[in-house]
Amino acid sequence: MQLLKCRHLTSIVLFFIIGCTPRYSSYIQTSQVRNTDSIPDYSNLFYWASHPWKKDPADSVPAPLLNSYVLDSSVDVFFLHPTTLTDKTDERWNAGINDSFINAKTDYSTILFQASAFNEFRLFAPRYRQAHVRSYYTSDTAAALAAFDLAYSDIKTSFQYYLDHYNKGRPIIIASHSQGSTHAQRLLKEFFEKGELKRRLVVAYVIGMYIPEDYFQTLQVCHDSLQTGCICGWRTFKKEYVPDFVQKEKSTSLITNPITWTTTQEIVSNKNNKGSVLFNFNKIKYNVAGAQIHNGILWIDKIHVPGSFLVKRKNFHVGDINIFYLNIREDVRRRVRLYWKQ
């Protein structure tokens, strides 16, 4: 039932699509399939938005990082994308797995701009029959829960297929955003709370969603940058802003500051923000925002970019990953090194 109390809309594509409009438009014009009946077949690479055996937008590296890019194939990242089924006029509860419009929207927004932050390692991102964004705020609880269950069934199937055919005993990083994090929590609880996979979990980045303090029994929040096998998560808002849905939550969400990777509440300067990837994928914006943990959410002081005085946004959910893009990239690399040492 906590799923229905989040009440924030994931309009992520509107924030990111500016930098890649030509390719996105071209992709859409080729086909307009809206088939809601098909079930994904994860032996077919089409049903993976990102996969090491295909060229996809997650393989993209921002131009300033190209010279330092090195792929480490010893560790896998399993990325669960956020909601891209957001059209209010769309009456479906779940996206069709063969819907070319939704797939293009996913590929050239979240897969390009978010999943790519993790592409120094083998990256897997399944397509799934995602729940419509209304599932987070509708009064039709039964329909919403059924939509989430259907979406998760695809994710569970894809993850099991990945384990059976691709993993080959490698350590695993779970990464997700928004609706992806709704499902990532469930996946972590079912597959990683105990047993052999728990020992192979490098870290989980469960971003942009409320994580109840008592949801996990054995998995814990990352308290510093030197831990492995733990969970990092945050939700980004303007300083002094606490949304209504946060005020209604029954407990404080697990949270890690994505600049310091600690759980303390000190104010961290924007000078410690290593770099952001915002509208233009091939440009790094440095020192964009500082951050401070406040009662289970992340406050940023302001956006330090030209024209920032025009930014009236209070909810920076759409930038949860991109504002901290280089800090995340560095942290993934560090925790992988620590995992192998341990």
Side-chain angles (χ1 to χ4, degrees), residues 3-4 131 135-136 144-152 179 182-183 186:
L3 300 177
L4 304 180
S135 301
Y136 282 103
L145 291 177
F148 284 123
D149 283 345
L150 178 62
Y152 179 72
Q179 182 174 161
T182 293
H183 304 305
R186 195 168 171 181

Side-chain angles (χ1 to χ4, degrees), residues 40-55:
D41 172 10
Y42 293 107
S43 67
N44 186 338
L45 294 186
F46 173 80
Y47 294 103
W48 294 89
S50 180
H51 192 287
W53 297 355
K54 65 186 284 189
K55 183 66 177 175

Side-chain angles (χ1 to χ4, degrees), residues 234-306:
W234 61 89
R235 294 172 292 170
T236 313
F237 303 96
K238 184 178 180 180
K239 188 176 180 179
E240 308 297 339
Y241 176 62
V242 181
D244 290 342
F245 62 82
V246 171
Q247 297 179 42
K248 295 175 182 178
E249 291 167 355
K250 292 183 178 180
S251 66
T252 303
S253 179
L254 298 182
I255 184 170
T256 306
N257 188 316
I259 297 181
T260 62
W261 303 102
T262 63
T263 57
T264 55
Q265 297 193 18
E266 74 269 23
I267 299 172
V268 184
S269 167
N270 67 301
K271 301 300 182 184
N272 295 301
N273 189 321
K274 300 293 179 66
S276 309
V277 175
L278 302 176
F279 298 106
N280 188 330
F281 182 79
N282 283 310
K283 286 190 176 180
I284 304 295
K285 297 290 186 180
Y286 297 98
N287 310 132
V288 165
Q292 176 188 14
I293 290 176
H294 174 80
N295 294 338
I297 60 175
L298 189 73
W299 277 350
I300 57 174
D301 47 4
K302 61 180 292 187
I303 298 294
H304 297 266
V305 295

Side-chain angles (χ1 to χ4, degrees), residues 43-207:
S43 67
N44 186 338
L45 294 186
F46 173 80
Y47 294 103
W48 294 89
S50 180
H51 192 287
W53 297 355
K54 65 186 284 189
K55 183 66 177 175
D56 55 71
D59 297 327
S60 303
V61 178
L65 306 181
L66 279 171
N67 289 338
S68 61
Y69 175 76
V70 177
L71 175 65
D72 181 348
S73 60
S74 68
V75 174
D76 289 344
V77 178
F78 197 82
F79 179 82
L80 302 177
H81 70 74
T83 312
T84 53
L85 182 62
T86 57
D87 186 347
K88 293 181 180 180
T89 65
D90 194 326
E91 297 181 353
R92 294 175 295 175
W93 282 99
N94 292 85
I97 198 69
N98 294 325
D99 187 324
S100 62
F101 180 87
I102 293 298
N103 289 343
K105 192 177 180 183
T106 300
D107 292 352
Y108 293 110
S109 58
T110 170
I111 299 303
L112 175 63
F113 277 85
Q114 294 183 319
S116 65
F118 304 91
N119 69 9
E120 290 187 316
F121 302 89
R122 293 207 323 164
L123 183 59
F124 297 82
R127 301 195 189 282
Y128 64 97
R129 289 170 290 179
Q130 59 180 283
H132 193 287
V133 70
R134 81 170 69 87
S135 301
Y136 282 103
Y137 57 86
T138 182
S139 60
D140 192 343
T141 303
L145 291 177
F148 284 123
D149 283 345
L150 178 62
Y152 179 72
S153 70
D154 286 350
I155 286 171
K156 180 179 178 179
T157 299
S158 69
F159 187 69
Q160 189 62 60
Y161 190 90
Y162 153 78
L163 289 177
D164 294 342
H165 295 87
Y166 302 130
N167 177 258
K168 308 298 183 184
R170 289 178 176 83
I172 302 170
I173 295 167
I174 299 296
S176 59
H177 185 246
S178 198
Q179 182 174 161
S181 292
T182 293
H183 304 305
Q185 292 183 54
R186 195 168 171 181
L187 189 76
L188 286 163
K189 193 173 186 69
E190 185 168 355
F191 285 87
F192 291 91
E193 275 270 69
K194 56 184 179 180
E196 195 263 343
L197 280 186
K198 186 175 189 295
R199 294 189 292 273
R200 281 201 273 142
L201 180 65
V202 178
V203 63
Y205 298 94
V206 184
I207 303 167

